[in-house]
Amino acid sequence: MASPGHSDLGEVAPEVKPSDSQTSVAIADLEWREMEGDDCGFHYGDGTNEAQDNDFPTVERSRLQEMLSLLGLETYQAQKLTLQDSLQISFDSMKNWAPQVPKDLPWHFLRKLQALNAEARNTTMVLDMPPDAWPAEKESQMEEEMMYWDPAEDITADDIYSFSELRMPDPPVNPLDLVCALLLSSDAFLQQEVLLKMALCQFALPLVLPESENHQHTFLLWALRAVVRTCCFQPPRGLGSFREDSVVLSRVPTFAFVRMDVSSNSKSQLLNAILSPAPRQWDCFWHRDLNLGTNPREIADGLVEISWFFPSGKEDLDVFPEPVAFLNLRGDIGSHWLQFKLLTEVSSAVFILTDNISKKEYKLLYSMKESTTKYYFILSPYRGKRNTNLRFLNRLIPVLKIDHSHVLVKVSSTDSESFVRRIRAIICNVARSPCRRVSVEDMAHAARKLGLRVDEDFEECQKAKDRMEKIIRRIKDVDAYKRDELRLQGDPARKAAQVEREFGQLQWLSEPPEKQRAELRRRVLELRLQQNGQEPTSGLQEFILGISSPSLGERQYFLRWMEWGLNRLGSPRPRQPPEPLLTLRPKLAGASDLTEPLWPEPLGVEHFLREMGQFYEAESCLLEAGRLPASQRRFAHFPGLAVELLLGGLPLELVDGATLSIPVRWVTGLLKELHVRLDRRSRLVVLSALGVPGTGKSTLLNTMFGLRFATGRRCSPRGSFMQLLPVAEGFSQDLGCDHILVIDSGGLISGALASAGDRFELEASLATLLMGLSNVTVVSLAETKDIPPAILHAFLRLEKTGHMPNYQFVYQNLHDLSVPSPKSRDRRQPLDPPSDLSRAATHMEKQGGGFRTLAGLAERQHVWHIPALWHGAPPMASVNLGYSEAIFELKRCLLENIRNGLSNQNKNIQQLIELVRRL
């Protein structure tokens, strides 16, 4: 029951409404006239609260240091934790371990987050070892240390000190403190990766990162730039419904939720309920009812989090018809006035949860009298001083220009769903009316004015951005830019690749005709001379300068800016979701031109590196033929520049997506340079993933190892890419390698049928090449779909080489969990006889023993059925925990096979170079 004078949920007591005379009298009676002159004691000329800059208690200054020390992160304050540090393969990569001490928590969080595990924020620690697993000597030692007291005996000082020698349990860590400490200890690129993975897990993202020791709060603009979402802006009815964009650039209505003094209502739980379509409940914002949610926050007070709602176009799931942003301030607004001031300047409306409105809080809110933001109060009728609250509300109504509909009473005993519907209705009304719409970039601009530090405002980052903009400004039309600025990738490159492919095929003949070989050599040299006669264009020269910077940080910033700048070129128009590639590809599989794109290829960083590779190819070809003196080489340093990017975590193209061939001289140059850079740590295991685009293979690799292969709705590059994973030195001897080279087949395997002729032959050759280079091959397939014929063909061809990698067949459910998975009897089994065997053997040219080979393969295959990635319909779907756990088991199995030598003989880089040439 509501207390007297109060109506049900969402209503306000009648006596809250003052008459005009009461309002004027209330204003006249205020004794706050001094506030008119000094603005409540808050000054923003320097962007800070003067009261916040001086006389901080010593205990407050030490909290951050204590937390960093507790988590083992104090060593990463001078030299920040990097993305490459988090990707290292170690003993822990093979264990589904639980944290035992606080120093385990950051690494546990990073590994769970990399795997998109919905439980990554759980900071529960377990005992070092269960009692039944204790060694006998440890158990006897504990018995000796254990003291049993006789109540009649006095406790001596020795007894007390002996107690202190026993290990006390480690203090629990609030998950928000862990996130803040980790971000404060990470460099800009690891911060970006952490926020990207948190977004994929549907976690709320840090927007303003507090730094309690020096009070230099940081606005995380750069860290959010990698987050991209696709959403429906209106119910789907033809073209133009869906759009993919960066959350940093999208201008949307924004609503802030804050706490003033004490509130019995959970702000974060309320936000989760607002964001979640019934009956689902998403824990986007960490709240008090979750594990360790009630633990006191040591360093996270002052944190501002952000999350978004993005419509999917499905009426039963969309709680809002358009994208909406939500901000959540952790802690009391009185203690974090600067953050509150920022929220009032960027929000369409601010919801204030409180049980008490006292003189102090009234002064704070009175200082906002010039604000144009709408304010709403959410009160509890059973907490606080009811009459005092009503008196101050009466005074605030004219000051904040609100009315009684802006004061809501949440009665915890009543139906919370109706209250959530009321809040949603308010948000929809505000969004429909003329209101403030801001992007994260706009928020950063407001943060700068208030004196907050923005993470992009560093010299290295801004210099890299300026260089990127010089290149992007010149791109008016993508196709024209490719033709005019990246000239070596046109007809000369395609023709040269075709001639060299024909020349390579002659090597397998028992008596290759010398005249034909001479003609092919002449044609190749002619084409390479044409290419070598070109000069790098201004755009390419600017790109080379960007990746040649002596500053590692500036190089990394430049590459990220280039990726986003180039992506923006192809994403201004709304669009319909593309037809699934699994059905699109076979229609086009009979294209007459082997290098004709089967789908639009966007301009990317790989095009600039591909151009560098063509300059190197042409020069190296002429050098081999004796047509160019070594002293006249101009591009010999290009492989070194590219290898620096590979070592920094950028995927490099292995198979040229324009010519559908391996540029052997360029790839050989890369591997030689890599061998020099790695010095004695050059033992490799090659792991490849093959499959038709759209089967989730790139997402699988990224989730398993934290890699950066292209994924998503935006069309991916055609070529095959490789990325290098370091193995921890302490684990390399046990694993048998120093690095793992991961290859993603990209868009090379389209599922072309044998009737497609030359295209099928080309795909089979490329599949043979990638599998022939590999120690382990993961074949990614959609549930109920056949293995692509080109991959089956490659299995048979590899028998000639005597090289058979370890195969893992991965069937992925590409639907969300709302769609039933195929029944076991409907699932396709790898190499299901007789169809797969007969089809592959029938299409083999002069290949004997096809049935024997595939039958042997069927005995050694490993089959995995991976659940759907999403639980629900994107873009607001949460990650399926079963997907994350299945991916971890697959990763553990792969590493176990490598360690046990089941992945064929590991190789060094020199052997890999020779294998590339031979295959």
Side-chain angles (χ1 to χ4, degrees):
M1 294 289 293
S3 60
H6 283 73
S7 59
D8 286 340
L9 192 63
E11 300 294 333
V12 180
E15 63 262 31
V16 174
K17 180 177 181 179
S19 65
D20 292 341
S21 60
Q22 288 174 324
T23 300
S24 60
V25 169
I27 299 293
D29 287 344
L30 292 178
E31 297 179 358
W32 319 119
R33 289 196 174 92
E34 70 276 13
M35 295 189 298
E36 300 283 351
D38 65 12
D39 199 24
C40 285
F42 295 96
H43 303 279
Y44 303 103
D46 61 353
T48 58
N49 178 356
E50 184 177 354
Q52 290 181 342
D53 288 338
N54 301 307
D55 303 325
F56 285 105
T58 304
V59 64
E60 183 70 23
R61 292 180 63 85
S62 65
R63 280 183 181 176
L64 176 61
Q65 299 261 352
E66 289 174 357
M67 180 57 64
L68 294 174
S69 176
L70 178 69
L71 296 173
L73 294 173
E74 69 275 16
T75 57
Y76 296 106
Q77 298 315 295
Q79 188 72 29
K80 298 292 186 182
L81 194 63
T82 69
L83 180 57
Q84 290 302 99
D85 292 334
S86 71
L87 299 183
Q88 235 182 23
I89 302 295
S90 66
F91 285 103
D92 291 334
S93 303
M94 299 179 62
K95 297 187 299 182
N96 193 9
W97 58 283
Q100 298 174 349
V101 294
K103 286 181 171 60
D104 293 338
L105 291 175
W107 302 102
H108 180 261
F109 174 76
L110 284 174
R111 293 197 185 283
K112 290 285 188 183
L113 198 61
Q114 175 185 300
L116 302 181
N117 191 303
E119 297 181 349
R121 295 177 295 184
N122 188 348
T123 58
T124 303
M125 290 174 285
V126 300
L127 293 175
D128 290 352
M129 195 179 300
D132 57 358
W134 285 339
E137 60 271 16
K138 178 168 183 176
E139 192 167 352
S140 63
Q141 180 185 356
M142 291 184 64
E143 289 176 357
E144 291 174 7
E145 291 176 352
M146 192 68 71
M147 291 171 291
Y148 299 91
W149 298 107
D150 183 341
E153 294 182 5
D154 294 330
I155 300 176
T156 66
D158 291 339
D159 296 329
I160 294 175
Y161 284 114
S162 65
F163 261 128
S164 67
E165 295 174 2
L166 294 175
R167 184 185 168 210
M168 300 300 291
D170 293 304
V173 177
N174 188 290
L176 295 175
D177 286 336
L178 171 63
V179 172
C180 288
L182 181 62
L183 291 175
L184 288 168
S185 306
S186 304
D187 71 3
F189 305 98
L190 181 54
Q191 285 182 349
Q192 202 173 82
E193 185 70 11
V194 167
L195 265 62
L196 174 61
K197 297 291 188 180
M198 289 179 70
L200 290 172
C201 291
Q202 299 293 1
F203 298 162
L205 307 182
L207 180 69
V208 176
L209 185 63
E211 209 273 54
S212 58
E213 187 166 284
N214 299 312
H215 288 264
Q216 293 183 342
H217 310 309
T218 303
F219 188 94
L220 299 177
L221 174 61
W222 168 265
L224 282 165
R225 280 205 181 269
V227 181
V228 176
R229 289 291 180 88
T230 301
C231 64
C232 176
F233 279 70
Q234 58 189 11
R237 52 176 185 272
L239 294 175
S241 295
F242 287 82
R243 188 170 74 192
E244 183 178 73
D245 206 355
S246 166
V247 296
V248 165
L249 303 175
S250 301
R251 285 193 167 94
V252 298
T254 302
F255 298 88
F257 284 71
V258 300
R259 173 172 59 82
M260 185 168 68
D261 193 25
V262 176
S263 173
S264 54
N265 294 311
S266 170
K267 177 165 42 71
S268 299
Q269 280 181 309
L270 178 59
L271 276 166
N272 290 339
I274 292 170
L275 283 164
S276 304
R280 297 176 183 170
Q281 177 67 40
W282 296 330
D283 292 321
C284 180
F285 293 91
W286 194 265
H287 58 84
R288 64 178 67 160
D289 285 350
L290 293 176
N291 191 31
L292 300 179
T294 57
N295 278 19
R297 294 188 294 266
E298 298 296 330
I299 63 172
D301 275 350
L303 171 70
V304 177
E305 296 170 292
I306 186 169
S307 188
W308 292 265
F309 178 86
F310 293 100
S312 64
K314 299 180 180 179
E315 292 185 6
D316 58 328
L317 295 178
D318 291 343
V319 295
F320 301 107
E322 64 173 315
V324 182
F326 294 91
L327 302 174
N328 183 15
L329 171 61
R330 299 288 182 167
D332 171 41
I333 63 174
S335 303
H336 308 286
W337 184 253
L338 187 59
Q339 289 94 318
F340 178 61
K341 177 70 174 171
L342 172 65
L343 300 193
T344 63
E345 294 194 5
V346 302
S347 300
S348 308
V350 175
F351 290 82
I352 302 173
L353 284 76
T354 187
D355 291 343
N356 290 308
I357 305 177
S358 64
K359 180 177 178 180
K360 175 187 174 184
E361 281 74 38
Y362 177 85
K363 284 186 176 184
L364 294 176
L365 294 175
Y366 188 90
S367 69
M368 308 305 298
K369 61 183 182 297
E370 302 299 329
S371 172
T372 60
T373 302
K374 294 184 169 96
Y375 293 90
Y376 293 85
F377 289 87
I378 298 177
L379 308 175
S380 171
Y382 303 123
R383 304 297 179 98
K385 300 175 181 178
R386 180 172 173 272
N387 293 332
T388 303
N389 288 346
L390 296 179
R391 183 171 68 252
F392 281 120
L393 278 173
N394 282 333
R395 294 171 175 174
L396 284 171
I397 282 175
V399 174
L400 298 180
K401 304 176 184 63
I402 61 177
D403 57 37
H404 308 124
S405 65
H406 289 232
V407 182
L408 308 173
V409 177
K410 185 178 188 303
V411 184
S412 59
S413 61
T414 60
D415 182 12
S416 60
E417 289 186 13
S418 62
F419 186 79
V420 169
R421 287 196 295 271
R422 177 80 183 274
I423 299 292
R424 287 176 180 167
I426 292 172
I427 291 171
C428 287
N429 288 334
V430 172
R432 279 196 297 266
S433 64
C435 69
R436 180 184 289 140
R437 291 170 180 263
V438 296
S439 65
V440 176
E441 280 191 342
D442 298 329
M443 296 180 194
H445 184 65
R448 290 186 186 98
K449 287 185 175 180
L450 290 174
L452 274 78
R453 181 173 57 186
V454 178
D455 60 353
E456 277 186 9
D457 295 349
F458 294 97
E459 184 180 4
E460 284 185 336
C461 182
Q462 291 306 310
K463 284 176 66 177
K465 182 180 181 181
D466 292 343
R467 193 179 296 280
M468 175 272 294
E469 288 177 341
K470 286 182 184 178
I471 297 173
I472 299 298
R473 276 196 297 264
R474 295 174 59 90
I475 306 175
K476 308 302 180 185
D477 179 87
V478 170
D479 292 333
Y481 187 85
K482 289 181 182 178
R483 182 180 62 251
D484 300 334
E485 293 288 320
L486 304 174
R487 304 167 189 160
L488 270 61
Q489 295 171 55
D491 285 339
R494 282 193 290 270
K495 290 177 180 176
Q498 180 60 31
V499 173
E500 292 190 339
R501 188 180 294 119
E502 294 175 12
F503 186 83
Q505 290 170 351
L506 288 179
Q507 309 307 310
W508 291 94
L509 298 179
S510 56
E511 295 182 5
E514 190 57 40
K515 183 177 181 181
Q516 188 176 354
R517 292 179 61 178
E519 175 61 20
L520 291 176
R521 282 200 198 95
R522 184 193 65 77
R523 286 170 56 192
V524 167
L525 282 174
E526 183 180 314
L527 292 166
R528 295 305 187 188
L529 277 168
Q530 288 181 30
Q531 289 182 310
N532 198 57
Q534 301 280 350
E535 291 293 329
T537 59
S538 57
L540 182 62
Q541 289 181 24
E542 198 67 44
F543 178 83
I544 293 169
L545 286 174
I547 65 173
S548 303
S549 170
S551 165
L552 173 61
E554 189 175 331
R555 292 198 302 270
Q556 292 178 311
Y557 276 120
F558 172 71
L559 283 170
R560 295 295 175 93
W561 279 121
M562 282 295 295
E563 289 173 357
W564 299 328
L566 294 171
N567 282 341
R568 289 289 298 166
L569 293 175
S571 60
R573 295 194 304 270
R575 57 181 174 76
Q576 192 84 356
E579 185 178 359
L581 287 169
L582 284 171
T583 60
L584 175 66
R585 295 294 187 77
K587 298 177 184 177
L588 302 176
S592 58
D593 182 1
L594 295 182
T595 60
E596 179 185 342
L598 297 183
W599 69 95
E601 187 184 24
L603 180 63
V605 168
E606 68 273 6
H607 287 85
F608 291 85
L609 290 168
R610 195 183 290 168
E611 188 78 357
M612 292 171 59
Q614 285 298 319
F615 274 108
Y616 183 86
E617 278 280 319
E619 188 177 78
S620 299
C621 180
L622 297 180
L623 189 69
E624 291 172 7
R627 303 289 291 271
L628 181 74
S631 59
Q632 294 183 18
R633 296 202 70 172
R634 296 180 295 163
F635 310 119
H637 64 295
F638 279 6
L641 296 178
V643 164
E644 284 294 334
L645 307 183
L646 180 66
L647 292 172
L650 181 77
L652 291 187
E653 199 171 40
L654 175 65
V655 177
D656 188 325
T659 63
L660 299 184
S661 65
I662 283 195
V664 176
R665 298 176 187 86
W666 171 244
V667 171
T668 299
L670 292 177
L671 293 175
K672 285 181 177 178
E673 190 65 33
L674 182 63
H675 182 64
V676 172
R677 300 295 173 90
L678 297 181
D679 195 18
R680 297 179 181 178
R681 303 199 72 232
S682 61
R683 294 177 302 160
L684 287 180
V685 161
V686 180
L687 186 153
S688 63
L690 278 72
V692 174
T695 55
K697 60 179 169 28
S698 301
T699 299
L700 182 146
L701 291 174
N702 293 349
T703 306
M704 198 157 29
F705 297 113
L707 303 175
R708 296 185 55 218
F709 293 119
T711 61
R713 289 187 185 273
R714 182 177 285 117
C715 294
S716 300
R718 297 179 70 202
S720 173
F721 287 79
M722 58 182 176
Q723 192 170 345
L724 197 65
L725 275 174
V727 177
E729 290 194 29
F731 187 49
S732 60
Q733 194 63 35
D734 191 33
L735 194 62
C737 64
D738 303 304
H739 291 82
I740 298 176
L741 187 68
V742 183
I743 301 174
D744 181 2
S745 67
L748 296 180
I749 312 299
S750 71
L753 303 177
S755 58
D758 289 343
R759 179 167 291 282
F760 169 78
E761 170 58 32
L762 178 59
E763 289 188 9
S765 298
L766 292 172
T768 305
L769 170 66
L770 296 183
M771 292 162 64
L773 294 176
S774 305
N775 301 97
V776 181
T777 294
V778 175
V779 180
S780 181
L781 304 161
E783 292 276 18
T784 75
K785 297 293 181 181
D786 291 335
I787 298 176
I791 295 179
L792 283 172
H793 206 73
F795 289 149
L796 297 173
R797 283 186 169 181
L798 281 175
E799 190 180 30
K800 285 184 175 181
T801 68
H803 174 87
M804 294 293 282
N806 176 264
Y807 294 104
Q808 305 288 329
F809 291 89
V810 178
Y811 282 97
Q812 298 200 59
N813 179 5
L814 301 181
H815 303 286
D816 60 72
L817 288 188
S818 61
V819 179
S821 297
K823 297 178 182 178
S824 298
R825 64 176 178 270
D826 297 330
R827 286 173 169 165
R828 292 278 296 137
Q829 293 299 321
L831 307 175
D832 184 17
S835 60
D836 289 330
L837 293 174
S838 59
R839 184 174 65 249
T842 299
H843 298 316
M844 274 302 294
E845 53 194 346
K846 301 178 183 178
Q847 169 68 280
F851 281 88
R852 184 181 66 255
T853 302
L854 287 178
L857 171 64
E859 293 173 1
R860 300 193 311 276
Q861 65 187 343
H862 301 269
V863 183
W864 300 81
H865 290 277
I866 305 294
L869 170 62
W870 302 116
H871 187 94
M876 293 303 296
S878 56
V879 175
N880 175 17
L881 184 61
Y883 176 87
S884 173
E885 291 174 344
I887 292 297
F888 173 79
E889 284 303 315
L890 174 59
K891 175 182 178 180
R892 186 191 58 76
C893 176
L894 293 176
L895 294 177
E896 195 68 49
N897 288 344
I898 292 171
R899 184 166 70 170
N900 294 336
L902 300 180
S903 58
N904 215 322
Q905 185 178 3
N906 300 342
K907 50 184 76 73
N908 60 38
I909 294 179
Q910 293 285 17
Q911 292 169 326
L912 185 62
I913 291 171
E914 184 55 37
L915 197 54
V916 168
R917 286 174 173 157
R918 217 176 66 213
L919 285 170

